Amino acid sequence: MITAGGPADGDGSYRAALEIRTEEGWKTYWRYPGDSGIGTTADFSGSSNVASAMLAFPAPERHEDPYSTTIGYEGGAVLPITVKPGSPDAPAMLVADVSLGLCKDVCVPVTAHLEVPLGPDTARDATSGNAIAAARAKVPLPASAGDPLSVTDIAIEPGTKPVLRFTARLAKPDQPADLFVEGPDGSYLSVPERASQDGEKAVFTLSSDGLMHKGDTAELRLTLVNGGEAVDQRWTLDASTLD
């Protein structure tokens, strides 16, 4: 873990990050890995004087091979952590138990126990601070269906395995777009296929196979990427026709 050091930001939080370094040709995974792999997680419950620690993920990329499509980062990643201390005037210890996967020709599970001190008197680290700031700038921003970059509609195409059809509005029509979809806990979704992109409109399709839903609704988390911009969008899907 790396940290920008002290003192705290204006909102009382400290800036830290999980820095994943890989050798050439290796990649690591996003929080949801796609068709295969190990999603990156971090448990901060062992920390002291930490009220909350939120791990964020910069917009990922899709990686395709003859066998599967996965979601993650090639060449390593910096994953920002926003830390709120319990007592602002006292030092804190951020402790993370991390689980992730590294993949080249084979995939290797990795676990690590990491600790880093935080506090008002912690020395500033400009190099780490710049790396964290750059990573935070790539974290998708919250969005809704009316925003310039957003998913505007989800339709269900019937069949033996119904297909979800996502229509997106693009902020940069001349730049490629991509979409990643996460379902409720227990879901095992594939990665959406890019069906078309024409001007400000892009269409993606995804099999509903593996989508868990409670009653007639399913809560989806959508990450839409377009020309260096990315948004995080939540959608309550009417799943009454999926069964």
Side-chain angles (χ1 to χ4, degrees):
M1 281 192 296
I2 58 175
T3 173
D9 290 341
D11 63 355
S13 65
Y14 292 100
R15 289 176 291 137
L18 175 63
E19 182 181 35
I20 304 170
R21 298 179 182 177
T22 63
E23 295 183 359
E24 184 176 354
W26 287 77
K27 63 185 178 184
T28 190
Y29 296 96
W30 192 43
R31 59 175 178 253
Y32 182 68
D35 292 339
S36 62
I38 303 168
T40 299
T41 62
D43 179 2
F44 302 107
S45 60
S47 302
S48 58
N49 191 31
V50 170
S52 66
M54 301 296 295
L55 180 67
F57 290 80
E61 299 175 342
R62 73 168 59 209
H63 300 281
E64 297 176 324
D65 60 40
Y67 310 103
S68 64
T69 301
T70 57
I71 311 170
Y73 312 96
E74 191 167 0
V78 175
L79 309 181
I81 308 167
T82 301
V83 184
K84 288 288 186 71
S87 176
D89 298 327
M93 181 64 72
L94 181 64
V95 176
D97 288 299
V98 178
S99 175
L100 54 86
L102 298 176
C103 187
K104 189 179 181 182
D105 300 321
V106 296
C107 291
V108 181
V110 176
T111 59
H113 178 85
L114 307 172
E115 301 182 5
V116 65
L118 298 167
D121 298 326
T122 306
R124 300 291 283 181
D125 184 331
T127 299
S128 294
N130 289 338
I132 295 169
R136 285 164 65 108
K138 297 178 182 177
V139 173
L141 299 174
S144 60
D147 290 344
L149 178 61
S150 60
V151 172
T152 58
D153 182 67
I154 304 177
I156 299 176
E157 298 179 350
T160 305
K161 293 182 179 179
V163 171
L164 306 182
R165 184 179 181 88
F166 301 83
T167 301
R169 178 190 295 115
L170 306 181
K172 297 181 179 180
D174 59 334
Q175 299 293 318
D178 214 340
L179 178 69
F180 307 106
V181 179
E182 300 164 86
D185 289 345
S187 296
Y188 295 94
L189 294 171
S190 186
V191 183
E193 295 183 5
R194 292 172 280 196
S196 66
Q197 181 175 334
D198 184 12
E200 295 182 354
K201 178 181 175 181
V203 176
F204 302 86
T205 58
L206 173 66
S207 172
S208 63
D209 191 32
L211 175 63
M212 302 297 293
H213 57 96
K214 185 177 182 180
D216 290 339
T217 62
E219 301 299 324
L220 303 181
R221 185 174 186 178
L222 316 174
T223 301
L224 179 62
V225 183
N226 173 218
E229 297 183 17
V231 295
D232 183 308
Q233 192 172 343
R234 308 303 171 102
W235 196 289
T236 301
L237 179 70
D238 179 357
S240 59
T241 63
L242 291 182
D243 292 328

